[in-house]
Amino acid sequence: MSRLFSSVRARATIGASLVVAVALVAAGAAVLLSLRFSLIGEAEADADSAARRVASQITADIAYDKLDLPEGDDNPVQIVDADGRLVAASEDLERISGTGTAAVKPEQASPAPGGDDDDDDDSAEEALEPGELSDDKTFTDGSATVDGETEDYRFAEVEVSVEKKGDLTVYAGGSLESQQSAMSTALTSLLIGFPLLLAVIAAVTWLVTRRALRPVDAIRSEMAAITASEDLARRVPEPDTHDEVARLARTTNETLAALQASVERQRRFVADASHELRSPIASLRTQLEVGAAHPELLDVDGAVEDTVRLQELAADLLLLARLDAGEKPGATRVDLAALAREELSQRTRDRVEVRTDLSGAEVAGSRGQLARVLGNLVNNAQRHARTHVTVATRAEGAWAVLAVSDDGAGVPESEREHVFERFVRLDDARTRDDGGAGLGLAIARDVAERHGGTLTVQEAPGGGALFELRVPLVPRSG
């Protein structure tokens, strides 16, 4: 059973078939009941009409043997007097049930037992006026045999009063043969038609579901092929529709594109990192080998610089790895002005003067990461400035702003996004030792985004580059 319901197509087909089957059974039952009531109503109307026609003749004081009774088996008639004796009946009537008496010939009738005077008085009080027909409609089920053929009937009972004949009751039957025949035909049609209709619905549901799920199977097959081949450049087929499957295919392709970009970025990162690490390691090894062979030629300062650069590069790579892994910055309250004063006071190797314009602006985040952003921006400005670097902090609306500007050549507008990519250097003529590894600005932007802010570059008012870090401001407590 579990295998039967393991397919969406099978579940949809079975579900649709069950729903339609329940609906068809309910509809079929309603149709049969409605048809039965309608046909029984017609039989009752026919019987009541025949009984009243005969009763009308009796009120005209026509003798029993002169009455024009219905012939054949359409409306068998009995006329019974107040004592329960049969006084007239249809000529070809051979047997009857469901009426006041089973007699079919007047000579077969026997008088009903008499009653006391009180009963006669009560009957007289309830008796109809001479020539009057009862308006009450009473029906019973029975059967009758006419000319050797037995059928079921719906009998109508009509009471009539005649001055010379007393109170009489006319029984006339309406045939139920047409009702039974119609019900049998309808039931047979339903029993044959319902299974065929269910089979058609199941087949159509199966085919439509298979056609609807065909793109899903194509997507699944292509995803399996992509997983097996590890070729993220491949894409799943997108159907030419505007339904959920088409949106699924587009979203899958967008996910594959993002995954491909991420993998390519990681590959470039590993390649660039290996290249950047190779240079200081090779330089340091060369100096140590020379020092080992010729101690008097050992450049201790150069070895220290290469070691420091190697340490800084490793720290940058480690921080980028943590940021890529989704490390959260925390929620420590940090005053950017106080942070800038402390960090700038510890700098001892700046090439040009660092000016400050600091106003209090508190943010929530990681103090260490924000300090790294400030250090990277100041280092970048020191490499490009001519005479000075300016560091400013301020609160601006809902943002805390940290701005670092220099009076250098600035960043061309076409390169203002490119500079935030990893291992990017705009000045190819700059040496690696002076220009860094090209990770400082990339780290600064990643930290800004992790803090819910932005890092942009534009032209400074006095020329040069202006880098602005914007982080959501935390209102001062109290």
Side-chain angles (χ1 to χ4, degrees):
M1 182 62 70
S2 61
R3 293 180 61 86
L4 178 63
F5 287 95
S6 62
S7 168
V8 173
R9 184 168 31 181
R11 291 198 298 269
T13 301
I14 294 174
S17 300
L18 288 176
V19 170
V20 173
V22 172
L24 289 179
V25 169
V31 169
L32 290 176
L33 289 175
S34 176
L35 179 62
R36 180 175 182 274
F37 289 144
S38 176
L39 293 175
I40 289 178
E42 291 181 4
E44 290 177 348
D46 183 35
D48 185 68
S49 176
R52 292 187 181 277
R53 287 198 303 269
V54 174
S56 298
Q57 296 180 54
I58 295 175
T59 59
D61 200 18
I62 299 176
Y64 294 132
D65 57 351
K66 302 296 183 179
L67 292 174
D68 183 15
L69 302 179
E71 297 181 357
D73 56 0
D74 289 339
N75 302 110
V77 174
Q78 274 186 326
I79 303 174
V80 181
D81 63 12
D83 296 326
R85 293 177 302 183
L86 179 69
V87 296
S90 297
E91 181 178 357
D92 298 325
L93 183 62
E94 300 174 2
R95 188 179 62 82
I96 194 169
S97 65
T99 59
T101 178
V104 295
K105 300 296 182 181
E107 57 270 17
Q108 297 174 344
S110 59
D116 55 26
D117 294 339
D118 292 339
D119 293 337
D120 291 340
D121 292 340
D122 293 339
S123 298
E125 292 177 358
E126 298 176 0
L128 298 172
E129 295 293 332
E132 183 181 359
L133 276 66
S134 172
D135 292 331
D136 296 336
K137 293 185 178 181
T138 304
F139 300 96
T140 57
D141 290 323
S143 63
T145 301
V146 180
D147 284 340
E149 294 184 2
T150 302
E151 295 181 10
D152 292 328
Y153 288 89
R154 186 74 167 165
F155 289 99
E157 176 183 339
V158 176
E159 295 182 357
V160 60
S161 177
V162 182
E163 183 175 357
K164 295 181 180 181
K165 299 176 182 178
D167 293 335
L168 301 172
T169 302
V170 180
Y171 295 95
S175 176
L176 295 177
E177 181 183 7
S178 60
Q179 178 259 341
Q180 295 171 345
S181 175
M183 290 289 293
S184 176
T185 301
L187 182 60
T188 302
S189 300
L190 292 177
L191 292 177
I192 296 175
F194 280 10
L196 293 177
L197 183 57
L198 280 177
V200 171
I201 290 174
V204 171
T205 303
W206 179 270
L207 295 175
V208 170
T209 307
R210 183 177 67 177
R211 182 178 180 85
L213 294 178
R214 188 177 300 163
V216 176
D217 191 59
I219 293 173
R220 184 205 59 78
S221 299
E222 185 63 23
M223 287 295 293
I226 292 173
T227 302
S229 65
E230 298 183 356
D231 182 8
L232 295 178
R234 298 173 62 172
R235 296 293 181 266
V236 301
E238 296 185 14
D240 297 330
T241 57
H242 300 282
D243 56 9
E244 293 81 356
V245 177
R247 290 195 290 271
L248 171 64
R250 285 193 291 271
T251 302
T252 303
N253 284 334
E254 291 171 359
T255 302
L256 288 173
L259 182 60
Q260 180 186 11
S262 176
V263 171
E264 291 178 353
R265 185 168 58 251
Q266 291 298 326
R267 289 173 179 171
R268 287 197 304 269
F269 177 75
V270 172
D272 292 339
S274 300
H275 181 73
E276 292 295 336
L277 287 170
R278 187 185 304 118
S279 296
I281 291 175
S283 175
L284 182 59
R285 177 180 178 180
T286 300
Q287 295 180 54
L288 293 176
E289 288 176 347
V290 170
H294 305 283
E296 71 278 5
L297 298 179
L298 178 62
D299 183 6
V300 176
D301 293 338
V304 171
E305 288 180 0
D306 286 340
T307 304
V308 171
R309 184 167 182 270
L310 187 61
Q311 181 182 14
E312 292 177 348
L313 180 57
D316 287 344
L317 294 176
L318 180 60
L319 177 57
L320 283 174
R322 292 204 307 266
L323 293 175
D324 288 341
E327 182 181 67
K328 296 183 179 180
T332 304
R333 295 176 72 96
V334 180
D335 188 338
L336 292 183
L339 174 68
R341 291 190 188 96
E342 181 178 350
E343 293 297 320
L344 293 176
S345 66
Q346 298 176 6
R347 298 179 66 88
T348 59
R349 301 174 61 187
D350 287 337
R351 184 176 62 86
V352 298
E353 176 190 5
V354 179
R355 302 174 181 176
T356 59
D357 180 13
L358 306 177
S359 299
E362 287 191 344
V363 298
S366 169
R367 189 185 188 287
Q369 292 183 10
L370 293 173
R372 177 66 69 88
V373 172
L374 174 62
N376 290 351
L377 294 180
V378 173
N379 289 341
N380 180 74
Q382 285 284 338
R383 284 192 292 268
H384 296 84
R386 293 190 180 94
T387 61
H388 67 274
V389 173
T390 302
V391 177
T393 61
R394 66 182 184 275
E396 187 176 293
W399 300 95
V401 181
L402 169 64
V404 178
S405 60
D406 61 68
D407 59 351
V411 181
E413 186 173 355
S414 60
E415 302 289 342
R416 289 179 181 174
E417 285 298 318
H418 187 52
V419 296
F420 293 106
E421 297 178 8
R422 298 175 182 181
F423 300 105
V424 169
R425 302 181 185 86
L426 296 185
D427 188 358
D428 294 333
R430 192 189 313 126
T431 64
R432 290 187 180 272
D433 290 339
D434 293 337
L439 293 177
L441 295 180
I443 291 174
R445 170 162 279 190
D446 282 352
V447 171
E449 291 176 350
R450 293 296 188 279
H451 283 73
T454 60
L455 178 62
T456 58
V457 59
Q458 51 190 307
E459 185 177 355
L466 170 62
F467 287 83
E468 280 194 349
L469 169 69
R470 291 178 176 266
V471 184
L473 185 67
V474 175
R476 292 182 178 273
S477 59

